[in-house]
Amino acid sequence: MNLESISIHEVAKSVSEAMDTRHSIREYETKPIPEDLLNRIFEKALRSPSWKNSQPWKVHIVSGEKRNSLASALTNAATGSQPTPETNWPESYPSDAKKRMFDLGMKIYGVAGIDRKDKEARDQFMLRNFSFFGAPTAVFITSKFDLNFFVGIDLGCFLQSVLLLAREEGLGTCPQAALGAFPEVVRNELGLPKEEKVIMGISIGYPKAQSELNRFHTPREEASDLIRFY
Ligand SMILES: Cc1cc2nc3c(=O)[nH]c(=O)nc-3n(C[C@H](O)[C@H](O)[C@H](O)COP(=O)(O)O)c2cc1C
C-alpha cells in the first residue's frame, strides 16, 4: 500500500466499534501476546498525528522475565517511597470533575468488592497498578522532548491509537499514569538514558473472562452538555 496517497474514502471498518466498546481492563489472563500482534498494533499507532510531525514518542514493550522483574521493582518502590514523576501530575480539578473522579473510585471499589472504608484493601488494589493488573505485557511511553502542552497532546493521540488498535485485535488495555510514578526504576530496569523521560505506561493483554471488574463500562456525560453546534 502506498501510504503517501492512501484514499480517505476507504471504509474505516471498526473505529466506531472500538470506541463504543473499549474500556480500561484491570484483570488479565496470563496468556502471552504473540510478538507479531504487538508489532502490528504499535507500528500502526506510529501513524498518530503530532505537532509538525515531530513524533515525540518512544515505546518500550516489556514481556516475560523482564516484565516480572520490573513489576517487582515497581511494587517495591511503590510500597516504600513516594512517587517522583517527571510529568506534572494534576493537583486540582473543577468541582464537577471531582465528583466524576469520586464516583469512579466508588464504582470500581464496589465492583472489585472493596469496602471504601477499608484503606488497606484500597492500597492493595492501588498497588496492582505496578504489577500491571496481571497483564503479560507492560508498555512504557518515553520522550526526550521538553514536556510542553502540545507534546502531551501528541502523546495522548498516540495513546488513544494504541488503545483502539488493541481493542480491534481483541486485546484489553489500561493506560496508567501510575507507571510513570517511579521513572528511575523503569530506566534502571530497561537501561534507558537519563534524557528519556518515562511519561506513563499501558498494561496490555487478554481480558480475564470471568471478571466483574472487566465488565464495568464507565459512564460519560451527556453529549448535549458537552457538544454545541453553531
Ligand atoms: C492519562 C491517563 C492516566 C491514567 N492513569 C491510570 C492509572 O494510573 N491507573 C488506572 O487504573 N487507570 C488509569 N487511567 C484509566 C482511567 O481511569 C480511565 O480511562 C477512565 O476512568 C475512563 O474509563 P475507561 O478507560 O474504562 O473508559 C488513566 C487514563 C488516562 C487517559
Side-chain angles (χ1 to χ4, degrees):
M1 190 191 302
N2 178 358
L3 287 176
E4 282 183 7
S5 62
I6 195 168
S7 165
I8 57 160
H9 301 295
E10 295 290 330
V11 174
K13 63 181 185 320
S14 62
V15 176
S16 295
E17 196 187 336
M19 277 302 293
D20 281 346
T21 60
R22 183 214 61 82
H23 57 228
S24 293
I25 295 298
R26 296 186 180 88
E27 282 189 310
Y28 293 87
E29 304 288 352
T30 50
K31 179 182 163 187
I33 309 169
E35 202 168 308
D36 62 331
L37 175 49
L38 285 168
N39 238 326
R40 194 153 70 232
I41 290 170
F42 286 92
E43 277 192 25
K44 281 186 191 167
L46 294 178
R47 292 293 312 160
S48 302
S50 58
W51 175 283
K52 291 190 181 176
N53 204 21
S54 53
Q55 304 172 55
W57 42 71
K58 275 196 180 255
V59 189
H60 304 273
I61 302 171
V62 190
S63 310
E65 281 304 306
K66 194 43 113 180
R67 173 249 181 248
N68 295 344
S69 61
L70 193 44
S72 299
L74 282 172
T75 304
N76 279 342
T79 310
S81 48
Q82 290 301 312
T84 52
E86 293 166 300
T87 52
N88 290 328
W89 281 11
E91 282 172 5
S92 64
Y93 298 89
S95 55
D96 59 329
K98 278 188 199 158
K99 183 180 176 317
R100 287 194 286 273
M101 292 160 74
F102 181 80
D103 286 349
L104 174 75
M106 289 305 99
K107 282 188 182 131
I108 287 189
Y109 293 141
V111 184
I114 292 171
D115 178 351
R116 73 182 177 89
K117 291 187 192 129
D118 186 347
K119 184 171 179 319
E120 170 70 23
R122 279 190 281 128
D123 289 351
Q124 284 305 317
F125 184 77
M126 167 60 188
L127 267 188
R128 282 162 57 185
N129 270 283
F130 300 101
S131 51
F132 322 121
F133 297 111
T137 296
V139 177
F140 290 84
I141 299 176
T142 64
S143 182
K144 290 184 178 173
F145 284 44
D146 285 341
L147 298 181
N148 64 47
F149 189 78
F150 282 99
V151 168
I153 291 184
D154 298 341
L155 296 174
C157 289
F158 182 79
L159 174 69
Q160 174 75 328
S161 299
V162 171
L163 305 188
L164 294 179
L165 288 163
R167 178 71 195 86
E168 186 190 21
E169 297 281 4
L171 291 173
T173 51
C174 187
Q176 289 163 258
L179 296 181
F182 302 100
E184 214 48 68
V185 172
V186 177
R187 260 196 300 274
N188 275 343
E189 285 284 328
L190 303 184
L192 306 180
K194 180 79 190 155
E195 64 270 22
E196 234 180 275
K197 285 159 280 204
V198 180
I199 312 294
M200 62 180 296
I202 310 170
S203 295
I204 182 166
Y206 296 95
K208 193 168 178 189
Q210 309 300 329
S211 161
E212 277 306 303
L213 197 52
N214 284 349
R215 288 158 54 86
F216 176 57
H217 198 59
T218 45
R220 294 295 187 268
E221 297 296 310
E222 289 298 323
S224 56
D225 288 339
L226 299 174
I227 302 169
R228 191 181 290 173
F229 290 88
Y230 297 87

